[in-house]
Amino acid sequence: MVERTLSIVKPDAVKAGHTGDIISMFERAGLKVAALKMLHLTPDEAKGFYIVHKERPFYGDLTKFMSEGPIVVLVLEGEDAIKMVRDIMGATNPKNAAPGTIRALFAADIERNAVHGSDSEKSAAYEIPFFFPSIEIMGL
Ligand code: UDP
Ligand code: MG
């Protein structure tokens, strides 16, 4: 099924200059960029994005990290895009990330792990409109 998913190049990877490499990895896998922008979240905006994790012990540190600097957010579209992006990202903890994945290449640790990708259709349906009104998403 053709799907759309939300991905984020996180502040650590933007700062380190990996934005282009990460987007290239998605494009080389056949995914299409349907929307793209750079922005700097406030702590409250980061809390809203990660609201599903609000009871987790890492919520405070995570939302602080996600608001420490600019991020690049993108909508990716393609056949099985949600799973494809998750596969290209690699495991949350880079110690467990398969060789050649974004997190194996660029993540420092389980928190500062370079990239986000929606984990399900339900997550994508919350996360895409969090950042993009429909007029900013290209029909491909
Ligand atoms: N995270 C963390 N500590 C943990 C688990 C997650 O700091 O023990 C951070 C990490 O940046 C991760 C994000 O919280 O990417 C969201 O966690 P999730 O379990 O949804 O991982 P993901 O879907 O990003 O692989
Ligand atoms: Mg997740």
Side-chain angles (χ1 to χ4, degrees):
M1 187 178 49
V2 175
E3 295 171 334
R4 284 177 175 163
T5 188
L6 191 281
S7 181
I8 304 177
V9 183
K10 294 185 178 183
D12 56 331
V14 171
K15 189 172 183 189
H18 299 313
T19 304
D21 286 334
I22 289 170
I23 296 173
S24 285
M25 289 172 73
F26 292 135
E27 289 191 323
R28 280 202 304 270
L31 291 156
K32 300 289 183 197
V33 176
L36 178 73
K37 65 186 166 195
M38 180 177 253
L39 72 163
H40 188 156
L41 294 176
T42 66
D44 280 348
E45 288 166 346
K47 285 181 191 160
F49 180 75
Y50 277 118
I51 195 75
V52 18
H53 290 318
K54 69 175 189 306
E55 306 299 341
R56 307 285 287 277
F58 57 81
Y59 184 61
D61 285 345
L62 169 63
T63 54
K64 188 170 172 217
F65 160 54
M66 289 300 290
S67 55
E68 75 177 26
I71 58 174
V72 172
V73 291
L74 54 160
V75 176
L76 294 162
E77 183 174 291
E79 190 70 25
D80 292 324
I82 295 169
K83 180 174 189 300
M84 195 187 276
V85 166
R86 298 286 302 186
D87 288 349
I88 296 165
M89 285 165 51
T92 309
N93 187 340
K95 289 191 180 117
N96 304 326
T101 59
I102 292 168
R103 284 164 164 171
L105 289 167
F106 302 129
D109 56 45
I110 193 169
E111 177 185 274
R112 305 179 71 83
N113 61 3
V115 71
H116 169 84
S118 307
D119 67 4
S120 63
E121 278 184 65
K122 189 176 166 222
S123 301
Y126 174 74
E127 294 175 357
I128 292 171
F130 186 91
F131 287 110
F132 296 102
S134 60
I135 57 162
E136 291 183 15
I137 304 172
M138 303 305 112
L140 297 172

